[in-house]
Amino acid sequence: MKKYDFIIAGGGMAGLSLAYYFTQSPLRDRSILILDQELKNSNDRTWCFWERSQGPANPFEAILFRSWNTVSFHGTSFAGPLDMGHYRYKMLRGIDFYNFLQNELAKYPTIERKQATINRIKDTPQGGFVIANDEPYIADYVFDSTFLLKLDQPENHNLLQHFKGWVITTEKACFNPEQPEIMDFRIDQQGDCRFVYILPFTQKTALVEFTLFNENLLTEAEYDTQLRQYISLFLDTGAYEINETEYGVIPMSDVETQEILSEHIVRIGTSGGYTKASTGYTFQRTQRYLQSIVRNINQTGKPQRPVSWFKKRFKLYDSIFLNVLEKHRHPADDIFTRVYTKNIRRVFTFLDEDTRFIDELRLFATMPFMPFLRAFFDVLRRKITN
């Protein structure tokens, strides 16, 4: 049985990114095995994220599909463009990401990739042990992005962000390529948080995506109906053709996660708690956390990421927000309207968890007081009594 320095269980966004960051560090000569049951050769998803214009260089900047410095928002009391200030909104297609990283990783003969179904992962005194397609593998560290979170615990808030989108080409020029619509709440909310966002490629081509935050998935026909209704009511497309379809489900849960599971096993990506519970955003947080892991292994030989106790306050904020949504304490479309229109200079920094406490208090002051206060006490009760 061959032993590797690192085994990466799951070759999706988190796994491929981690392997890439190893190649960009003094650890580039370590032996790495990447295991995944899929080939990652299709455009199966789109990642959108914001980033400071003058921050550290993004390794994926050259393969971005689109980038914008202004976005549009349509809420309960505001409709129009939002100036993102020092931030830009960026779109990265899955197929471009996979192709780029697979080409980069192919330059390193110490990196192996195998298409396999992972049967078991466990810790042993000799290292992290993986069985895939009934074959055994072992490594100093196993980085696992395949573990499924338990999303049914009563002390937690367990919503889902689920969405379906179409890339459409229209008869009429109805899109503004310079301005994506990040949230449009004009659709019937039906007691949930429901919105459409539009990522324009040209005046006649865009990704139109219907998104919900709640506990229950819809049927395929229901997603399609919502998309057709939105296009019919709010876009002057003329005839249109559906070129691509994407569908996804992201957990919005404050379930406790274990990033460092044991001496030789580390969970990464959503499995390691990298998805922000209140928004479902994962891409940028994953990149940031993985780079920290690689730095720490290089400097100390250990993967632990240092996280200050004060930084953990953001988990409380996430739980409170999820409680407001779960209990329908205030209309979600109004909450998001307040967040984006009254806090545009700080909201992206806040969602990146880089704000000062005084800035967080200013943002909270724009929210409806009693619904969030009730949510705060309910969060404390659930954590104590369960």
Side-chain angles (χ1 to χ4, degrees):
M1 179 173 55
K2 181 177 179 180
K3 184 173 183 179
Y4 296 85
D5 291 308
F6 310 122
I7 293 176
I8 298 175
M13 183 266 287
L16 292 176
S17 296
L18 177 60
Y20 174 76
Y21 290 127
F22 277 130
T23 69
Q24 304 303 298
S25 78
L27 304 170
R28 62 180 59 88
D29 294 328
R30 300 292 180 90
S31 59
I32 300 173
L33 173 64
I34 304 172
L35 298 167
D36 196 279
Q37 62 183 355
E38 298 179 358
L39 292 175
K40 299 301 180 187
N41 57 3
S42 64
N43 191 37
D44 58 352
R45 67 197 62 218
T46 299
W47 292 289
C48 291
F49 56 96
W50 50 80
E51 196 168 43
R52 286 186 177 273
S53 303
Q54 298 169 341
N58 183 330
F60 311 117
E61 193 72 23
I63 59 170
L64 292 176
F65 191 63
R66 291 292 185 275
S67 179
W68 301 275
N69 56 19
T70 302
V71 296
S72 182
F73 179 89
H74 208 123
T76 55
S77 59
F78 175 88
L82 299 173
D83 184 356
M84 298 186 67
H86 298 299
Y87 287 86
R88 290 185 66 84
Y89 194 66
K90 301 180 178 183
M91 174 186 176
L92 178 59
R93 299 195 312 164
I95 190 62
D96 298 329
F97 175 85
Y98 300 141
N99 288 341
F100 171 76
L101 287 189
Q102 288 166 1
N103 290 335
E104 288 295 311
L105 298 180
K107 300 175 183 177
Y108 296 85
T110 55
I111 298 178
E112 297 180 39
R113 298 187 65 206
K114 293 186 178 182
Q115 186 178 5
T117 299
I118 296 170
N119 309 116
R120 186 180 183 189
I121 298 174
K122 71 172 185 176
D123 205 356
T124 72
Q126 293 75 37
F129 184 75
V130 179
I131 296 178
N133 282 3
D134 298 322
E135 293 289 330
Y137 305 94
I138 195 167
D140 292 335
Y141 287 108
V142 173
F143 298 93
D144 178 22
S145 65
T146 65
F147 176 76
L148 298 178
L149 301 177
K150 295 181 179 179
L151 302 178
D152 57 358
Q153 305 304 302
E155 67 271 24
N156 303 318
H157 302 85
N158 299 301
L159 300 180
L160 300 171
Q161 178 182 149
H162 45 117
F163 51 86
K164 185 171 185 179
W166 293 338
V167 175
I168 63 173
T169 298
T170 64
E171 178 184 13
K172 299 180 181 179
C174 60
F175 302 115
N176 179 0
E178 304 302 318
Q179 194 168 286
E181 184 95 39
I182 61 169
M183 281 184 159
D184 188 340
F185 285 99
R186 286 178 290 177
I187 60 177
D188 185 0
Q189 296 296 290
Q190 300 186 31
D192 294 322
C193 175
R194 298 180 173 220
F195 60 91
V196 170
Y197 69 84
I198 301 174
L199 302 178
F201 308 158
T202 69
Q203 290 184 331
K204 292 186 176 183
T205 305
L207 171 63
V208 181
E209 195 139 294
F210 168 60
T211 303
L212 300 86
F213 298 167
N214 66 11
E215 299 101 325
N216 302 307
L217 302 180
L218 305 183
T219 65
E220 183 174 351
E222 288 175 309
Y223 293 107
D224 291 346
T225 296
Q226 292 293 325
L227 283 165
R228 290 193 185 95
Q229 288 181 352
Y230 179 86
I231 293 170
S232 175
L233 290 172
F234 302 115
L235 297 177
D236 186 16
T237 61
Y240 63 88
E241 178 182 352
I242 301 171
N243 304 318
E244 297 179 33
T245 298
E246 73 170 32
Y247 171 79
V249 181
I250 300 172
M252 298 177 66
S253 174
D254 55 0
V255 59
E256 288 294 325
T257 54
Q258 288 181 280
E259 184 178 23
I260 307 298
L261 181 64
S262 57
E263 184 178 357
H264 303 105
I265 299 175
V266 181
R267 289 175 178 161
I268 60 174
T270 298
S271 300
Y274 294 3
T275 297
K276 186 167 177 61
S278 60
T279 63
Y281 280 110
T282 306
F283 186 85
Q284 275 296 76
R285 288 162 62 89
T286 297
Q287 304 306 318
R288 181 185 295 191
Y289 294 172
L290 293 178
Q291 290 178 71
S292 180
I293 284 176
V294 172
R295 279 195 303 271
N296 290 343
I297 294 178
N298 180 50
Q299 294 170 2
T300 70
K302 302 291 184 180
Q304 283 83 354
R305 290 186 304 110
V307 180
S308 70
W309 68 268
F310 191 54
K311 192 80 169 178
K312 295 178 181 179
R313 69 192 185 277
F314 287 98
K315 289 186 176 294
L316 175 61
Y317 302 160
D318 285 340
S319 293
I320 293 170
F321 184 75
L322 289 176
N323 188 277
V324 171
L325 293 181
E326 181 189 83
K327 299 296 185 180
H328 307 288
R329 299 186 186 278
H330 191 84
D333 51 357
D334 182 62
I335 292 173
F336 279 101
T337 300
R338 293 174 184 237
V339 167
Y340 281 102
T341 61
K342 297 181 182 295
N343 301 279
I344 189 60
R345 294 298 181 184
R346 66 176 70 94
V347 63
F348 299 109
T349 308
F350 173 73
L351 294 175
D352 282 340
E353 301 184 359
D354 290 332
T355 42
R356 301 171 300 167
F357 186 59
I358 186 63
D359 294 318
E360 293 151 24
L361 293 178
R362 289 169 179 156
L363 186 147
F364 300 154
T366 66
M367 296 294 100
F369 179 72
M370 288 307 298
F372 277 81
L373 182 64
R374 293 189 186 100
F376 170 73
F377 284 113
D378 192 33
V379 166
L380 294 183
R381 178 192 63 79
R382 291 169 72 157
K383 296 298 183 183
I384 293 172
T385 59
N386 289 283

